[in-house]
Amino acid sequence: MKKISFYLILIFVLQSCHVPVNRDYNGLSGALVFTQNKKWLINNIYSDLNSVEREKMNVQILNSFNSLSKGNAVSIDEAITKNLLPAKISLNPDLEQLESLKNNSDFDYLVNVRTKKVADQIASLELSQPYQFSKNEAFAILEVYDLKTSKKIYSQKASSETSMEGKKTYPEYSAEQLNAERANGKTPKGPFFSYSADALSKKNLSQILKDIQKKAVK
């Protein structure tokens, strides 16, 4: 029991370690303007995480935009009960969909979010080094459409990854080389801790929301 608790504590600590997040604004402005009481429609997230995690992220996004817009953000589920909106808005809405939203609602902006796990090869806890190079990789994208002009005005992609080198094994390495590395303490020993692909997805989204908050024009 003590060993299990020890490993859980280590996982928590290492999950808090710094993992670089790469950003891409797709040539658009890195700041959003939250003025003049504009209304924000928050679409449900498109994600390959489970339904519980998707709902948590939906709430996270809504709360963030509500805070920045002073209560002028509405989830699509709430909007559907009050307006003539489609049950689902696509991740990449075409001009017809954007025009429909403009004509059938009083929202000014549409917020679309997606997360995806690109590679999911390492567990949060690995007892030994993998036999080949392995990595976890994920990204999140948040985009904003101006419904009055039907144009995308904001796009941020945040991506991150963690990796582990594979074991050095025979015949790629001679027995003498392997024994020498073991003797010199150069052979990594487990356990190994890492961000899971799920955790990277959630981290990327959080970093996007923090960046929007930091650069917001109010």
Side-chain angles (χ1 to χ4, degrees), residues 21-32 140-144 152-159 204 207-216:
V21 174
N22 299 313
R23 301 181 190 277
D24 182 3
Y25 297 96
N26 198 29
L28 298 174
S29 172
L32 282 171
I141 299 177
L142 188 149
E143 297 179 323
V144 178
K152 186 189 299 182
I153 61 170
Y154 181 89
S155 176
Q156 183 179 165
K157 178 180 180 180
S159 56
N204 293 331
Q207 289 297 311
I208 289 177
L209 295 176
K210 287 180 181 178
D211 188 62
I212 290 175
Q213 185 174 18
K214 179 180 178 181
K215 297 176 181 177

Side-chain angles (χ1 to χ4, degrees), residues 50-144:
N50 64 54
S51 60
V52 174
E53 295 299 337
R54 290 199 304 270
E55 184 56 31
K56 288 180 180 177
M57 290 190 290
N58 280 331
V59 172
Q60 181 185 11
I61 298 163
L62 179 61
N63 288 344
S64 180
F65 274 84
N66 250 329
S67 175
L68 290 167
S69 66
K70 298 180 180 179
N72 283 320
V74 177
S75 71
I76 187 172
D77 292 333
E78 180 181 349
I80 287 173
T81 65
K82 298 179 179 179
N83 301 282
L84 298 175
L85 294 180
K88 188 174 184 179
I89 299 174
S90 65
L91 181 63
N92 299 299
D94 56 25
L95 182 60
E96 183 179 352
Q97 284 182 302
L98 294 173
E99 289 288 339
S100 176
L101 286 172
K102 172 185 175 181
N103 296 329
N104 294 295
S105 75
D106 59 350
F107 291 103
D108 298 287
Y109 303 109
L110 167 67
V111 179
N112 269 349
V113 184
R114 177 191 182 195
T115 72
K116 182 174 177 59
K117 295 179 286 186
V118 179
D120 189 9
Q121 301 169 340
I122 309 171
S124 297
L125 169 62
E126 293 281 359
L127 297 178
S128 61
Q129 191 177 7
Y131 282 98
Q132 60 185 5
F133 176 83
S134 302
K135 71 175 182 178
N136 291 339
E137 181 181 357
F139 68 80
I141 299 177
L142 188 149
E143 297 179 323
V144 178

Side-chain angles (χ1 to χ4, degrees), residues 42-56:
I42 313 299
N43 198 6
N44 286 329
I45 192 170
Y46 286 80
S47 176
D48 50 7
L49 299 186
N50 64 54
S51 60
V52 174
E53 295 299 337
R54 290 199 304 270
E55 184 56 31
K56 288 180 180 177

